[in-house]
Amino acid sequence: MTTALNPMSGSSLLGEFGALAVLLGTFAESGLLVVGFFLPGDTLIFPAGILCATGTRTDPHLVLWQVLLCAAIGSIAGAQAGYLFGRHGGNAFLARTSRPRVHAVVSRGERWLDRYGARRAIVIGRFVPLVRTVISPVAGVLGVPARTFTLWQIVGGLAWSQSLVLLGYWLGTRVPNVDKYLLPTVAVVVLVSCLPLLGQLRRR
């Protein structure tokens, strides 16, 4: 019996599309302002790393170098696309949309850039959910120089995507049957990545 594909579920996407899901998921979450909020990022590439190590015991089996490559390309290309959208059409999009959520997250991205400066904000923002999706379009809207953005988004994109995949792979090779506990393991990773946002809320 076949099960319906759930685009919000990292395991469902990996089971259906393999490493291609990593490419598309990281691309969307790294720069597509509207749909990026609803797609898995950490919950996609971290389990992908685990599945690379546990392929003999689980399905699907993923190849490490393919997942690393797809994660790098998707995260870098997605962020660059988000920046170009923000630079050339971001203001017009914000003027047309009346969704409070969109304006709220854009404001959050502006505060993030003001607080850390462009270079640190672009790199650190890669590791924080929600900020990861808005930082690239917001950088384009605010006119961050293209050379500065491109350099540091590559650094941040590689650091985020490769570290999470390799962390998952390392756990998969060290912890017996870790693939059976994907949900709680991913929940811990997401919770840790949300700590900067929780700190901001507490200060407010």
Side-chain angles (χ1 to χ4, degrees):
M1 182 177 68
T2 60
T3 58
L5 174 65
N6 180 6
M8 312 300 176
S9 167
S11 58
S12 178
L13 291 171
L14 290 170
E16 187 70 22
F17 300 109
L20 181 60
V22 174
L23 175 64
L24 298 178
T26 52
F27 179 90
E29 204 216 9
S30 296
L32 299 186
L33 188 58
V34 176
V35 301
F37 299 119
F38 307 103
L39 295 176
D42 298 337
T43 58
L44 179 68
I45 61 177
F46 178 71
I50 293 178
L51 293 176
C52 289
T54 59
T56 58
R57 301 190 302 272
T58 187
D59 185 33
H61 170 58
L62 302 178
V63 180
L64 181 62
W65 73 264
Q66 294 177 351
V67 172
L68 287 170
L69 181 62
C70 287
I73 293 174
S75 61
I76 292 172
Q80 203 66 28
Y83 173 81
L84 292 174
F85 167 78
R87 184 154 190 171
H88 298 291
N91 287 316
F93 170 77
L94 292 174
R96 288 196 305 268
T97 184
S98 59
R99 297 181 180 180
R101 178 179 173 83
V102 173
H103 289 277
V105 295
V106 170
S107 297
R108 183 181 296 132
E110 291 184 54
R111 291 194 298 271
W112 192 271
L113 281 166
D114 290 338
R115 179 179 180 184
Y116 293 106
R119 296 176 181 178
R120 285 204 303 163
I122 291 167
V123 174
I124 297 173
R126 284 290 198 158
F127 293 85
V128 183
L130 297 183
V131 175
R132 179 165 52 245
T133 302
V134 304
I135 194 67
S136 299
V138 169
V141 169
L142 297 181
V144 174
R147 181 176 297 180
T148 299
F149 175 81
T150 301
L151 172 62
W152 293 103
Q153 76 95 346
I154 291 175
V155 172
L158 290 176
W160 168 65
S161 64
Q162 308 301 282
S163 64
L164 276 185
V165 172
L166 291 174
L167 176 60
Y169 182 79
W170 180 82
L171 283 176
T173 58
R174 294 293 188 275
V175 181
N177 300 319
V178 68
D179 51 302
K180 295 182 179 179
Y181 307 98
L182 276 180
L183 287 180
T185 306
V186 169
V188 171
V189 172
V190 173
L191 178 62
V192 171
S193 65
C194 286
L195 289 179
L197 289 179
L198 295 177
Q200 286 187 358
L201 292 174
R202 183 179 180 181
R203 282 191 293 272
R204 290 180 193 175

